[in-house]
Amino acid sequence: MRSELLADGPGRDIARRARRNRLTRAAQWFAGLEADPYGLVLRAGTGEPTAAEEAVRARGPLHHSPLTGTWVTADRAVAREVTGHPAFDAPGPAPEAHGGDPPPFRSAVLGLDRAAAARLAPLTAFGGPLLWADDAACVEKRAATWSRTVLAALGDRFDLAEDFARRLTGPVLAEQLGLPEAAHERFTRLLPDCRHVLDAPLCPQTHAAARAAEAAEGAMAGLLREALHASTADTVRAATAMALSAAEPTAVLIANAVRLLFDEPGGWRRLAADPERAGEAVAHALRTAPPVRLESRTVRSAVTLAGTGLPAGARVTVLVAAVNRDPLAAPDDPPLGLCTDLHFGLSAHLVEPVARAALRTLAETLPGLRADGDPVTRLRSPVLRAPASQPVAAGPFPEWRG
């Protein structure tokens, strides 16, 4: 998939921002070299971060990472407090934490506090003024139709993440927003350059990727301003936030669910024999390989967390996958999932039905789907652990008959 925009973003004080990106990234690498487990998580190579996440748990319910200036938790009770307490009112890190230098790229539309998110969420709710569908079943039905359309254009070998999952989210979201058909192609071309917006606040992206993402986000807001049937400042921000926070997590969830089924002996064959089990597979992926692994918050007023006093401006990060593995949690506790107190309150209700439809359609259409090489995780993606590539083959298994 080709991106529409390259690095010619507007930018402000480009040299200083590039320097800030390099210094922030260097600090994360140095933290990892000093065996700080959160530093190892943020270094975000292609390796599995589970060992580093468990090292955070071993350091207690709330671990302080001094070189990154962040408090980190893998504890379910602490995570619930962070995502529910009014003191943790906005995504972190706070812009003022950078000492006056221009911060590394962060989305202009995803920096919602809870009050703003709660005010905008009804606009993208089922049956609301922006969303075409009345319920999740309607989204799932339309996503299945689009899944078949995307698959029909692919050959026997393709990249599950890039050629299928990411190509699916564009037309689904464009349709749900009620965009005119003439705007669909441009909308789907802009989404790829926005894929870094959830990773960038915690892990500086390459300068070219950061500038491209900034330009793409601005262009996306401009497109929606022109194309939405009810265009106001609130509807444009809500629609942009919904698109940016839904697209890449949905693609990651689809890819993760398929990968987990491939890794489980006979997993894909069982789904192919009963595609209605797609919901179970998506739920399993949300618990064991969630599409958003890090949730960061900034303390807006002094608070005590896990017996530790935190001042205003302190940063706290929740390790979502580790929280889901908390050995002290009750067996029937649901996965933490997408935290709906901020921007995911505008999009989380779309992610699961689209993923379920995609998985069910894959199983119905390509029952012999199998891995055709090792999946590769995108660098600098500690929040999503997004796939850079996930090659698959679509032909029948050699021993299958009929």
Side-chain angles (χ1 to χ4, degrees):
M1 182 184 295
R2 291 181 60 83
S3 297
E4 178 178 352
L5 296 173
L6 299 176
D8 298 327
R12 294 180 302 275
D13 199 342
I14 293 172
R16 293 178 67 201
R17 293 182 63 192
R19 180 185 65 185
R20 170 58 58 182
N21 269 19
R22 290 194 297 269
L23 291 175
T24 304
R25 187 64 174 157
Q28 293 174 354
W29 272 88
F30 186 70
L33 290 173
E34 292 293 301
D36 181 318
Y38 185 56
L40 291 171
V41 169
L42 291 179
R43 278 169 54 163
T46 59
E48 169 63 43
T50 301
E53 292 170 346
E54 291 304 315
V56 170
R57 189 193 315 282
R59 298 192 180 196
L62 191 62
H63 162 61
H64 187 237
S65 169
L67 292 172
T68 65
T70 305
W71 296 86
V72 193
T73 187
D75 184 274
R76 179 175 286 268
V78 176
R80 282 176 174 162
E81 188 166 1
V82 169
T83 56
H85 196 288
F88 303 93
D89 190 39
E96 61 268 21
H98 295 281
D101 270 350
F105 166 73
R106 59 183 299 164
S107 168
V109 299
L110 295 186
L112 302 170
D113 61 21
R114 285 176 175 153
R119 179 172 57 83
L120 295 177
L123 297 175
T124 62
F126 291 130
L130 284 178
L131 213 61
W132 180 74
D134 288 329
D135 53 33
C138 181
V139 173
E140 200 163 335
K141 181 178 180 180
R142 292 302 303 156
T145 299
W146 281 111
S147 295
R148 289 189 289 270
T149 299
V150 173
L151 287 174
L154 301 177
D156 289 339
R157 285 178 164 79
F158 58 92
D159 189 305
L160 180 79
E162 196 70 8
D163 297 334
F164 174 69
R166 290 189 177 105
R167 287 186 180 178
L168 172 64
T169 57
V172 170
L173 294 175
E175 181 180 70
Q176 288 303 318
L177 286 170
L179 301 185
E181 189 173 343
H184 281 212
E185 183 181 358
R186 181 166 165 78
F187 179 87
T188 58
R189 287 205 312 266
L190 283 169
L191 275 180
D193 268 340
C194 297
R195 69 181 66 183
H196 302 284
V197 296
L198 291 168
D199 282 302
L202 296 187
C203 181
Q205 304 299 294
T206 64
H207 190 54
R211 293 188 64 198
E214 184 175 52
E217 181 178 304
M220 178 68 74
L223 170 65
L224 293 173
R225 192 175 297 112
E226 296 172 0
L228 288 174
H229 62 276
S231 178
T232 66
D234 276 356
T235 58
V236 170
R237 186 170 194 187
T240 309
M242 187 205 79
L244 268 57
S245 60
E248 190 68 358
T250 301
V252 172
L253 180 57
I254 294 167
N256 286 354
V258 172
R259 176 178 53 80
L260 289 173
L261 288 165
F262 286 170
D263 289 345
E264 176 189 346
W268 183 260
R269 292 189 184 189
R270 283 191 289 275
L271 179 64
D274 184 7
E276 292 306 313
R277 298 179 63 181
E280 298 173 20
V282 169
H284 179 62
L286 280 169
R287 180 178 293 276
T288 60
V292 176
R293 298 180 72 96
L294 306 181
E295 279 285 351
S296 184
R297 299 289 186 273
T298 298
V299 178
R300 292 310 191 199
S301 59
V303 67
T304 298
L305 182 66
T308 300
L310 303 181
R315 289 174 279 169
V316 179
T317 295
V318 174
L319 305 182
V320 176
V323 166
N324 289 342
R325 298 191 302 266
D326 190 339
L328 300 180
D332 58 348
D333 272 356
L336 185 58
L338 298 173
C339 297
T340 57
D341 56 325
L342 301 179
H343 43 268
F344 288 122
L346 282 67
S347 61
H349 55 302
L350 297 174
V351 173
E352 288 186 57
V354 176
R356 286 195 299 267
L359 214 62
R360 187 177 64 252
T361 305
L362 280 167
E364 291 170 346
T365 308
L366 305 174
L369 193 71
R370 60 191 184 277
D372 193 35
D374 293 331
V376 177
T377 301
R378 187 167 74 217
L379 295 174
R380 303 194 187 208
S381 183
V383 175
L384 301 176
R385 290 205 80 236
S389 67
Q390 192 166 330
V392 295
F397 288 102
E399 64 269 30
W400 275 33
R401 299 289 185 272

